[in-house]
Amino acid sequence: MDFEVWPEAIELGRMFAAEGYELALVGGPVRDLLLHRRSHDLDFCTSARPEQFEPILRRFGHDGFWDMGRKFGTLGAMRRRDDGTEVKVEVTTYRSDTYDPDSRKPEVQYGDTLEGDLSRRDFTVNAMALRVPDLEFVDPFGGANDLAKGVLRTPVDPRQSFDDDPLRMMRAVRFVAQLGFSIEPETAEAISAMTERISIVSAERVRDELTKLLLSDRPRAGIEALVESGLADIVLPEIPALELQIDEHHRHKDVFEHTMIVLDRAVALETGEDGPVPRPDLTLRLAAIMHDVGKPKTRRFEPGGKVSFHHHDAVGAKLTRKRLKALRFDHHIVDDVSELVNLHLRFHGYVDEPWTDSAVRRYVKDAGHLYERLNRLTRADATTQNRRKARIFAEAMDEMEARVKELKEKEDFDAIRPDLDGNEIMEILGLEPGPMVGQAYRHMLEYRLDNGPVDHDTAVAELKRWASR
């Protein structure tokens, strides 16, 4: 095999061998070695029990040690190289797990052989090992061959594998996105036949796999595999629901296909690390796949054969919030993605009639910290094949962004407040704290958005005019 192995792996292998124990690099690091990709997180398995190899690992990991996985036979350590990079290792005793059919948590049973340990892994491309320090390559299930073909296949019967751990089905579609692989037909059939098993997996675990899928280099391929497998019907049902039957006259687009194009375009609009939306951006990518989920519920066939989706933005925002909460996403992700879905049609009126400065201010104010993402989602959503319409839309977005930049040079959009604060309002109108103060404050904020900043006397005059009504 043509690869260069981490010196830390060789060193740790010698330390284990000196004590009479076997040690092998396993799983993702071996796969990545063959793909000529580098990793700083190394997974090993060993013939030693945790209490036997703990002293070795503590000596090796002079910059860190952890044992949160002790009940599963796993201990970890970390050391820092001279260049400041960290190498993290986790070592697990050979395993021969058994599973409760109603749970994906294994009952840990220690195994005796490396080959037995490899047989319990998810896919053949992750069931390869490299014994250290002697660098013997171990591949009992043909993982290297599958890796060369770009195929995902289970080491044992796929139904047994997915029955033991249903999360492996989500990992399969995630690897489609991350590695660009295809799922071997028998394995794909088993996933489609067993999708209901995913329901015993915690929402947090499903969310983590979906997040990794979306943050990969090929999120569209992963989402398409998720839908094709039938898993999306369970974990993200709003997406396959977008595959609306196109009417015979093709009066509206296939919403699912449109959504996949929007996802591709949104990814392409992400920026480098120094830009406003650094790649990969989970919030933007989630908004891209969810932006039209309100369409199936709002589709109406109008007189004359037209199809409408009135208020699908607001309906979609509610569906998005409900789904992301069910998947246990962080509340700020839930809020931000839902708001992007809610606002994704906001700009379209500008194309027909350019906005006043007050309308531009409202757009930026309402978008808040999502302004840059919203503009990218809006651009990505303009998938018309009509070149003239596409050019007009792009020019309108460019013009609006230029106006925002110009206005921001004159005003601090991030701190737009009424020209009078609550205390001044109470003093001028002789009010005590209460609902009327809030109404006055909101009126002055609307006035500020409509007119921009004004001097104190003008603001006082407007407040008194409002109060006199």
Side-chain angles (χ1 to χ4, degrees):
M1 290 291 173
D2 178 25
F3 44 62
E4 180 182 349
V5 180
W6 297 265
E8 292 85 0
I10 303 294
E11 178 186 347
L12 191 59
R14 287 174 178 155
M15 294 172 71
F16 271 69
E19 300 291 336
Y21 304 128
E22 297 176 6
L23 185 71
L25 190 67
V26 292
V30 179
R31 180 197 70 220
D32 290 345
L33 268 179
L34 297 180
L35 293 173
H36 301 287
R37 292 164 39 164
R38 302 293 285 178
S39 171
H40 296 302
D41 297 341
L42 306 181
D43 295 324
F44 297 87
C45 62
T46 179
S47 58
R49 300 293 191 261
E51 63 274 11
Q52 294 173 317
F53 68 79
E54 179 175 349
I56 303 174
L57 212 53
R58 285 186 178 275
R59 291 200 307 274
F60 171 84
H62 40 68
D63 293 309
F65 174 85
W66 58 91
D67 65 352
M68 290 86 74
R70 185 184 292 274
K71 66 180 180 179
F72 300 112
T74 302
L75 304 177
M78 185 269 286
R79 69 160 51 173
R80 195 170 286 107
R81 292 173 175 154
D82 293 339
D83 63 2
T85 59
E86 295 178 349
V87 177
K88 297 178 181 178
V89 305
E90 286 198 339
V91 181
T92 303
T93 301
Y94 292 156
R95 297 263 290 273
S96 174
D97 296 341
T98 59
Y99 287 81
D100 179 338
D102 296 321
S103 170
R104 65 168 296 273
K105 295 180 181 178
E107 298 174 9
V108 177
Q109 295 182 2
Y110 293 137
D112 300 316
T113 66
L114 173 59
E115 289 75 9
D117 183 277
L118 295 177
S119 72
R120 54 166 287 278
R121 295 181 178 267
D122 54 5
F123 302 104
T124 59
V125 295
N126 293 328
M128 301 177 288
L130 190 66
R131 294 186 187 273
V132 287
D134 55 359
L135 301 185
E136 176 193 350
F137 182 62
V138 182
D139 183 16
F141 304 103
N145 188 46
D146 286 345
L147 194 66
K149 294 179 179 178
V151 169
L152 289 169
R153 184 169 56 88
T154 55
V156 297
D157 181 275
R159 290 176 179 268
Q160 176 189 331
S161 181
F162 299 142
D163 195 53
D164 285 347
D165 185 357
L167 188 63
R168 290 170 178 165
M169 297 188 289
M170 284 294 297
R171 283 205 290 269
V173 296
R174 188 244 293 180
F175 285 134
V176 168
Q178 287 185 327
L179 302 174
F181 285 11
S182 62
I183 303 174
E184 178 266 336
E186 186 180 353
T187 303
E189 289 174 12
I191 294 175
S192 296
M194 301 178 67
T195 52
E196 290 292 339
R197 284 284 290 159
I198 201 68
S199 60
I200 72 167
V201 179
S202 71
E204 291 82 0
R205 294 277 188 171
V206 171
R207 174 204 65 206
D208 290 347
E209 291 298 325
L210 181 61
T211 297
K212 292 174 184 176
L213 183 161
L214 285 171
L215 294 179
S216 72
D217 292 337
R218 307 168 191 83
R220 175 176 178 168
I223 293 295
E224 288 174 339
L226 191 73
V227 171
E228 185 178 346
S229 69
L231 285 168
D233 294 330
I234 310 297
V235 303
L236 201 61
E238 293 79 8
I239 303 305
L242 294 174
E243 294 185 302
L244 298 174
Q245 181 179 359
I246 303 177
D247 63 281
E248 59 179 333
H249 301 294
H250 299 274
R251 295 191 183 93
H252 68 275
K253 304 173 188 174
D254 171 26
V255 183
F256 176 75
E257 176 64 20
H258 164 75
T259 296
M260 294 300 95
I261 294 171
V262 172
L263 175 59
D264 278 343
R265 288 165 59 93
V267 169
L269 289 170
E270 291 171 341
T271 64
E273 291 184 6
D274 297 332
V277 186
R279 176 176 289 121
D281 189 83
L282 179 62
T283 299
L284 178 60
R285 296 183 183 198
L286 277 169
I289 66 170
M290 301 298 287
H291 79 284
D292 272 349
V293 296
K295 280 190 170 180
K297 283 184 174 292
T298 58
R299 182 171 62 159
R300 297 290 182 273
F301 295 97
E302 306 290 353
K306 292 186 177 181
V307 180
S308 68
F309 302 97
H310 295 310
H311 308 300
H312 78 265
D313 45 351
V315 172
K318 292 179 180 178
L319 292 172
T320 297
R321 178 175 294 278
K322 183 178 180 180
R323 177 56 52 199
L324 297 188
K325 286 178 71 174
L327 287 168
R328 303 290 194 272
F329 276 95
D330 290 342
H331 65 86
H332 71 277
I333 291 283
V334 176
D335 291 344
D336 287 354
V337 176
S338 302
E339 186 63 4
L340 284 171
V341 173
N342 187 49
L343 294 173
H344 82 274
L345 295 180
R346 184 73 171 272
F347 173 76
H348 287 259
Y350 189 101
V351 180
D352 300 322
E353 183 178 348
W355 293 339
T356 62
D357 283 353
S358 64
V360 172
R361 288 189 195 96
R362 290 175 188 278
Y363 178 84
V364 178
K365 178 71 173 176
D366 290 346
H369 68 282
L370 298 171
Y371 171 76
E372 294 287 353
R373 289 190 181 103
L374 179 58
N375 286 0
R376 281 161 174 76
L377 178 62
T378 302
R379 286 183 184 272
D381 191 29
T383 61
T384 177
Q385 296 298 307
N386 184 310
R387 292 186 178 182
R388 177 178 171 274
K389 288 183 178 180
R391 188 188 76 252
I392 291 173
F393 188 90
E395 289 174 352
M397 281 291 294
D398 292 342
E399 178 189 318
M400 190 274 291
E401 288 180 340
R403 288 179 61 190
V404 169
K405 185 176 181 181
E406 184 179 334
L407 284 170
K408 280 188 171 184
E409 290 174 356
K410 300 175 182 177
E411 309 173 33
D412 183 2
F413 273 33
D414 295 330
I416 288 182
R417 299 287 187 276
D419 295 294
L420 302 172
D421 64 25
N423 290 327
E424 291 173 306
I425 288 171
M426 288 190 290
E427 182 179 344
I428 293 166
L429 298 183
L431 297 174
E432 295 294 325
M436 185 62 72
V437 178
Q439 292 178 32
Y441 185 91
R442 285 190 291 276
H443 171 76
M444 294 307 296
L445 177 58
E446 292 293 317
Y447 183 78
R448 168 71 174 78
L449 288 168
D450 286 338
N451 299 278
V454 298
D455 60 59
H456 185 267
D457 290 345
T458 302
V460 170
E462 173 58 26
L463 176 64
K464 290 181 176 178
R465 185 194 66 77
W466 173 83
S468 68
R469 293 188 310 175

